[in-house]
Amino acid sequence: MNYFCSTIITPQVEMMHKLQVAERSEIYIGEVAELLPRLLPERRTIVITDANIDRRYHSLLQQYEYIMIGTGETVKTMHTVETIYRKFIEAGIDRSCFILGIGGGIVTDIAGFVASTYMRGIDFGFVSTTLLGQVDAGIGGKNGVNVDRYKNMVGTFSQPKFVICDVGLLRTLPEREFRAGLAEVIKAGIIADKRLFEMLERTTFDALRDDTELLAKTVLAAVKVKADIVNRDEKETGERRKLNLGHTFAHAIEKCSSAMNHGEAVAVGTIIISRIAVKLGVLTEKDAARIVALFEKFGFETISPVTTRRMTNAIAKDKKTSGEFIHIVLPTGIGSCEVKRMRLSEIAAIVE
Ligand code: GLY
């Protein structure tokens, strides 16, 4: 194993798991929010957050200088980033300061991007407050913003010093948002952790929401999958692409329709790619059926709100599609997958 993982019991914090990503980023999982003061360096700290967090944790935020951004994918732009740069300049923020992103994936993507570009980089950390942020967006050092409808077109690879994944913070998440995070947990199981997938098959949506210890174990397992892959391929030259299972179709769905959030689109994208994998003969019908059944059990839609033609057109127009070819992640079993470079026309023909 490349990552370091330990379970630590301290008098202050009931139980926590600690993982290390890319040798310099520490991930704390459990009921660990109380660790924050100990993890923050003794430096001026500026928090970047949003109105939802302000509503829920106003008294916590009051202890810091903080900047609020709007909510929703539409705020993930260079405009928001520039607004923050200007506030930093006005407030005299420099490299001796520390930036703390508190929020879901949108906040941490923006906070990480601002911190890693302002004055060529300031140290930063995250408190991830959504399931999706804890198991995916906040982990692994990808930060960035969208350009028009092109997702994450501008960004950096820069690791947060720490990420706090306090599962207690997830209790107040709206059901739909919690479910969205589960899509990335299921994805982690499909690509690299059969035991995680089987555990999800045995449990229920309500059990995961209500049982803090079960949820902490689930988050830990999903983060381990990501940490392990990022530790081998931090800059996505190869294996890290596996984390994009289902994302080619998911991004196309999100580009063409606002009916689904990211996690919901990942669920549908993963189902589509599983069916393609069956047609290509790399996944059995039985395993594909298990994947669909698991998403169904957790209450996901399994049908795309966007036609096949529109999805493949959107993929073709995606700036990340190099020429006619795309890298597609194919599940090859429960707990295994492969990255294949395929012609888009070949994929489109199968989907049609
Ligand atoms: N969300 C995919 C990655 O971090 O690589």
Side-chain angles (χ1 to χ4, degrees):
M1 295 279 179
N2 284 326
Y3 53 77
F4 162 79
C5 175
S6 57
T7 300
I8 303 162
I9 299 182
T10 70
Q12 294 84 7
V13 180
E14 277 279 295
M15 182 170 74
M16 71 170 184
H17 307 279
K18 184 176 161 195
L19 285 173
Q20 197 148 317
V21 178
E23 289 169 13
R24 55 197 184 280
S25 184
E26 293 184 338
I27 319 295
Y28 297 87
I29 299 161
E31 291 197 277
V32 287
E34 282 159 43
L35 285 176
L36 181 59
R38 279 194 271 158
L39 294 176
L40 282 176
E42 285 189 10
R43 296 195 234 159
R44 184 176 171 196
T45 296
I46 293 84
V47 171
I48 298 177
T49 190
D50 67 21
N52 290 334
I53 300 300
D54 189 37
R55 226 179 354 262
R56 280 157 63 193
Y57 306 108
H58 189 70
S59 53
L60 168 85
L61 290 178
Q62 289 295 292
Q63 299 166 35
Y64 303 97
E65 292 176 65
Y66 67 100
I67 292 174
M68 275 215 286
I69 60 171
T71 55
E73 193 67 26
T74 51
V75 306
K76 245 181 81 169
T77 61
M78 283 307 290
H79 176 74
T80 304
V81 168
E82 279 186 48
T83 307
I84 301 172
Y85 290 153
R86 289 196 185 95
K87 288 189 177 163
F88 276 13
I89 293 167
E90 269 168 38
I93 309 302
D94 62 24
R95 262 195 233 137
S96 67
C97 300
F98 189 84
I99 308 302
L100 179 66
I102 306 182
I106 292 168
V107 167
T108 56
D109 274 10
I110 292 172
F113 183 69
V114 167
S116 56
T117 49
Y118 182 76
M119 289 190 157
R120 297 191 175 80
I122 302 183
D123 288 346
F124 64 100
F126 297 147
V127 178
S128 282
T129 59
T130 62
L131 182 56
L132 199 137
Q134 294 189 1
V135 298
D136 190 47
I139 310 289
K142 273 190 189 175
N143 314 287
V145 294
N146 306 330
V147 177
D148 302 329
R149 300 210 82 183
Y150 297 102
K151 273 178 78 92
N152 304 323
M153 280 305 288
V154 175
T156 58
F157 285 103
S158 185
Q159 297 292 343
K161 292 276 170 226
F162 63 80
V163 184
I164 290 182
C165 301
D166 187 315
V167 290
L169 301 177
L170 308 180
R171 276 192 209 108
T172 51
L173 269 191
E175 197 172 296
R176 188 172 174 195
E177 222 175 306
F178 187 84
R179 180 173 294 110
L182 278 182
E184 298 284 358
V185 176
I186 296 173
K187 176 200 82 177
I190 298 169
I191 61 178
D193 190 344
K194 189 174 177 196
R195 283 176 58 198
L196 170 61
F197 190 94
E198 288 170 352
M199 187 280 288
L200 293 170
E201 286 183 317
R202 287 192 303 272
T203 191
T204 62
F205 186 86
D206 289 344
L208 279 171
R209 264 186 88 99
D210 299 342
D211 183 340
T212 305
E213 214 175 308
L214 177 66
L215 186 55
K217 275 189 196 150
T218 306
V219 170
L220 176 67
V223 174
K224 269 184 183 170
V225 167
K226 182 153 189 180
D228 208 10
I229 290 176
V230 171
N231 286 343
R232 288 194 294 264
D233 176 25
E234 190 181 352
K235 300 277 170 73
E236 197 169 310
T237 52
E239 194 188 354
R240 186 165 179 166
R241 292 197 179 105
K242 287 182 178 175
L243 294 167
N244 297 333
L245 175 74
H247 282 58
T248 304
F249 284 97
H251 286 165
I253 292 168
E254 289 176 275
K255 207 162 145 189
C256 300
S257 153
S258 52
M260 289 187 158
N261 63 31
H262 179 65
E264 290 162 349
V266 166
V268 173
T270 304
I271 289 169
I272 295 172
I273 205 64
S274 300
R275 292 195 171 125
I276 292 175
V278 171
K279 289 201 176 149
L280 288 170
V282 297
L283 183 71
T284 63
E285 294 263 11
K286 193 169 159 236
D287 283 343
R290 281 176 74 187
I291 291 170
V292 178
L294 191 58
F295 281 117
E296 272 177 343
K297 185 180 84 166
F298 285 113
F300 287 97
E301 288 291 333
T302 55
I303 295 176
S304 171
V306 176
T307 61
T308 306
R309 183 62 52 86
R310 281 187 75 204
M311 280 191 288
T312 46
N313 283 344
I315 295 168
K317 282 199 201 124
D318 194 320
K319 291 256 189 307
K320 286 178 191 158
T321 307
S322 49
E324 275 179 52
F325 290 93
I326 56 171
H327 283 104
I328 202 92
V329 188
L330 297 167
T332 52
I334 303 298
S336 67
C337 63
E338 66 180 27
V339 180
K340 202 167 180 249
R341 194 165 169 269
M342 283 179 76
R343 268 180 211 284
L344 183 57
S345 54
E346 199 183 335
I347 296 168
I350 298 171
V351 190
E352 293 286 340

